[in-house]
Amino acid sequence: MTDELRRMRYFVTVAEELHFGRAAERLHMAQPPLSQAVRGLEESVGARLLERTTRRVALTAAGEAYLRHARDVLARVERARQDARRIEAGLEGRLVVGCVGSATYSLLPRFARALRAELTSVDLAVRGEMLTADQVAALRDGTIDLGLMRPPADRTGVVVTRLRSDRLVLAVPDEHPLARRRRAFVRDLAGATLLTHPGGGRSAMFDVAQRALSEARVAPGAVQEVAETSTLVTFVAAGLGLAVLPEPARALALEGVVWLPLHGVPPVELVAVRRDRVEPHVARAVRSLTSAAAAGTGAPGPVAGKAAPSGAGAGSGGATAS
């Protein structure tokens, strides 16, 4: 505290007690330096703030006016100190989160609830259905503070925290021959229309699907790119094609879509990505996010879909008996 603020605090205490001895006791100091500090304040202000006699201490008119302003200044200084400490501790701030589609419908609600409970003064804003490359660009230009995405190819200037691994599933229209199956393989995509997120380095899931097709030496009949996961699943429900997606996309629970476990392909990671500059509230949010992701892990439940009838075999559209 500067000399001026210290003197101001001393004066307020004396003005409240109207007694130098009691004020000195409250301030845990001797009376002579307290009297000296108040006289120094009066000299600095250029006005007599207290009437002093051997019998009493009283405020002058100037002292009453100064007291009102002094209390306001000290209260503002204390609020500023508390705000700075809360921000340094990551308890306040604005947090803008970008999120890939599959996490928008699964992890994000749980994270938002945890953040609201733990960091009540953090203002949360969400930008869902953002592709991985778009999130990385938004992190670098400051549009978002934290991204929930599949691992980005370019990690320059960002910090990546692994959250979980998601199994891959195949979304098929409920009238498609594959819908009668209990599971699917990459070879089932041969000759089919593949609905996927955009390529060109914008979507990690596009690269995952293409790599799986290449390793299985399978070529789809056509590829249609769709940016939003919700729109992609809607297209599946409309019978426009099949889609390889992370299992949490099942949270959309759209009528007309059957979800089949996709065998023979590794799971995909979900990560939290932030700028490498330390931002206390963002760092706390990442810890909260990690806990929320861990709370949602465990043995994955069965993939929802129609059960295959006894003796169901291969259908058309590239389906293979399993």
Side-chain angles (χ1 to χ4, degrees), residues 176-178 188-192 242 315-319:
H176 193 280
L178 281 172
D188 295 324
L189 292 167
L242 315 179
S316 59

Side-chain angles (χ1 to χ4, degrees), residues 10-130:
Y10 289 173
F11 165 74
V12 169
T13 305
V14 173
E16 290 174 349
E17 295 292 341
L18 293 178
H19 191 284
F20 275 90
R22 290 193 298 269
E25 289 180 6
R26 273 182 57 182
L27 293 167
H28 305 289
M29 62 185 299
Q31 184 173 330
L34 174 60
S35 298
Q36 184 179 358
V38 172
R39 289 190 184 279
L41 177 64
E42 289 176 315
E43 292 175 4
S44 174
V45 172
R48 190 162 49 89
L49 304 178
L50 295 171
E51 289 280 4
R52 304 169 180 83
T53 69
T54 56
R55 303 178 65 179
R56 72 186 188 97
V57 175
L59 286 166
T60 64
E64 290 178 352
Y66 188 83
L67 177 61
R68 290 193 298 271
H69 292 296
R71 282 173 168 162
D72 183 60
V73 168
L74 291 174
R76 288 174 180 270
V77 169
E78 182 58 28
R79 284 197 298 271
R81 181 186 293 111
Q82 291 176 1
D83 287 348
R85 288 175 176 173
R86 287 179 62 81
I87 290 172
E88 177 66 21
L91 298 175
E92 289 189 3
R94 176 170 171 78
L95 181 69
V96 183
V97 179
C99 192
V100 292
S102 56
T104 301
Y105 310 114
S106 57
L107 176 59
L108 187 60
R110 188 163 57 250
F111 168 56
R113 287 194 296 271
L115 196 68
R116 187 170 63 246
E118 180 184 348
L119 303 176
T120 56
S121 296
V122 170
D123 182 18
L124 175 64
V126 176
R127 298 190 176 185
E129 294 281 13
M130 287 188 73

Side-chain angles (χ1 to χ4, degrees), residues 143-200:
T143 305
I144 65 174
D145 304 300
L146 180 63
L148 308 185
M149 65 184 80
R150 305 301 165 185
D154 183 1
R155 303 190 179 193
T156 306
V158 297
V159 176
V160 178
T161 302
R162 181 186 178 279
L163 297 176
R164 71 183 188 201
S165 291
D166 293 326
R167 297 185 303 182
L168 293 180
V169 293
L170 184 66
V172 303
D174 61 1
E175 295 184 354
H176 193 280
L178 281 172
R180 303 175 69 230
R181 298 265 298 280
R182 294 185 182 275
R183 57 182 176 173
F185 298 87
V186 176
R187 63 177 179 266
D188 295 324
L189 292 167
T193 297
L194 177 64
L195 303 170
T196 182
H197 291 98

Side-chain angles (χ1 to χ4, degrees), residues 249-305:
R250 291 190 297 136
L252 285 167
L254 198 63
E255 185 177 355
V257 179
V258 173
W259 304 87
L260 301 174
L262 188 59
H263 285 250
V265 291
V268 292
E269 287 192 340
L270 180 69
V271 298
V273 183
R274 64 172 176 84
R275 291 182 290 275
D276 58 7
R277 176 166 54 89
V278 175
E279 296 163 305
H281 70 293
V282 177
R284 284 188 70 107
V286 171
R287 292 195 293 271
S288 179
L289 182 58
T290 303
S291 298
T297 59
V303 177

